[in-house]
Each structure stands twice: as C-alpha cells, then as structure tokens.
Amino acid sequence: MNDAEWAAMVTVGRIVRPHGRRGEVVVLSESDFAEERFTPGATLHWRRGEAIEPIVVTSSRSYDARWVVGLAGLESIDDAEAVRGLELKIPTEALHALAPGAYYTHDLVGCRVETTAGATVGTVGEVMFGAGAPMLVVGAPDGEVLVPMVEGIWQAIDLGTRTIVIDPPAGLLDVNRRT
C-alpha cells in the first residue's frame, strides 16, 4: 500500500492511550458504526513509520464514550504505548451507503462554501463535533469561519461540484469568524 492509498482510506478511530497491562488500547471512534468497525475479527489498517499494515481486532467493548480494543500482536502495555496516537482506517469500499441527505465527513472536507446570494465563504477544512450541531470549519481569506450544519442554514450540498450552499442569518459569518 502506498501514500496515495493511505490518504484515500477513511479514519474510523484514533488510538488514545494504553488500557491496562495486556496490550489493549483506548480508541476514540470517528465512526457512526463503531460496534461494527471494532468488532472482534474486523480488519483495520494503521501506519507505523513508513509501513501501512492491516491489523485485526481481537476484542472490544464500549467504555466511557470510547472503545477499549485489543489488536492482534499487542500483548503488553509497552506494545500499546508504541501505537499511541495512530489512526485506524478502512478502505472507502467498506463504507456503508447513507440515507439521502446524510454525508460522510470526509466528503465535505474540501467543498467550496458559498451563500445563496453567490458570495464565496471559503473551503471546508474540517468538520468539528462536540456539543450541539456539527460545525464546518471553513477556511476564508481572513481566517476561519465556523458554520453550524443545521437545517435552515445549509441549503444544498452538491458533492458532484464539491459545493455547499448556505443561507446564514445576518451577522453569523462575522460572529463565528476565528482569526
């Protein structure tokens, strides 16, 4: 597997830290299908140094809004510590089809954001999740703008043209600007 193939894969989780002494790790899930992604027998991929390798899940359980996962070959706390911070990815072919109006985060990154009036806001650099609605972090010429992904603000998403059209309330783009 090469760098381009790695970049094309989708991140489903990140290893946060070791858990216990037997090589298990705490994983922060970035998937809506975490139970399936981290089920024993599932194959994920990670990049250790220059090597991109498949890794098999040997055990898993939900724990405090994260996952405790056993991965083949990790037998000790030292093994688990050595993989701290690694991304866990899957090929795009392994993604589920989504319902109409639902989008994968990676599909939104790189989309141009414009208003219904035709003004360009910028390009989506990431999608933030936390309390409340997901926020598009839109790179603009004078900093970043946070745009909530809520009904009434976003009007259309066209993945074919990589465009998101929004109708922001007056002042929203100024108030949510980060310089």
Side-chain angles (χ1 to χ4, degrees):
M1 188 173 297
N2 60 38
D3 289 342
E5 291 171 315
W6 176 252
M9 294 179 89
V10 178
T11 302
V12 295
R14 295 180 192 277
I15 299 174
V16 177
R17 62 177 174 79
H19 181 83
R21 297 177 294 174
R22 290 182 243 147
E24 290 181 314
V25 293
V26 175
V27 173
L28 178 59
S29 175
E30 294 185 21
S31 173
D32 287 342
F33 308 101
E35 280 189 30
E36 178 183 335
R37 299 297 177 212
F38 305 121
T39 192
T43 299
L44 306 171
H45 293 79
W46 62 17
R47 182 179 200 155
R48 293 180 76 176
E50 294 302 311
I52 300 165
E53 307 165 328
I55 186 74
V56 175
V57 175
T58 58
S59 65
S60 70
R61 65 186 179 279
S62 178
Y63 172 76
D64 197 24
R66 297 180 180 179
W67 288 82
V68 174
V69 179
L71 298 168
L74 301 183
E75 304 295 331
S76 69
I77 192 169
D78 291 333
D79 293 342
E81 185 63 47
V83 298
R84 180 192 290 257
L86 293 185
E87 289 180 283
L88 299 171
K89 292 188 170 193
I90 60 170
T92 55
E93 308 83 62
L95 294 174
H96 295 285
L98 297 177
Y103 303 92
Y104 282 109
T105 301
H106 69 273
D107 287 333
L108 302 178
V109 172
C111 285
R112 184 179 74 255
V113 178
E114 58 186 46
T115 66
T116 51
T120 298
V121 178
T123 303
V124 177
E126 71 174 295
V127 180
M128 287 185 352
F129 295 92
M135 299 285 260
L136 297 178
V137 180
V138 180
D142 54 348
E144 293 179 331
V145 178
L146 302 179
V147 178
M149 285 294 293
V150 296
E151 202 171 317
I153 293 178
W154 71 271
Q155 301 297 306
I157 296 176
D158 185 340
L159 295 179
T161 62
R162 310 282 300 141
T163 305
I164 299 173
V165 178
I166 63 170
D167 186 14
L172 177 83
L173 299 180
D174 293 325
V175 169
N176 284 359
R177 188 166 309 279
R178 302 189 311 184
T179 55

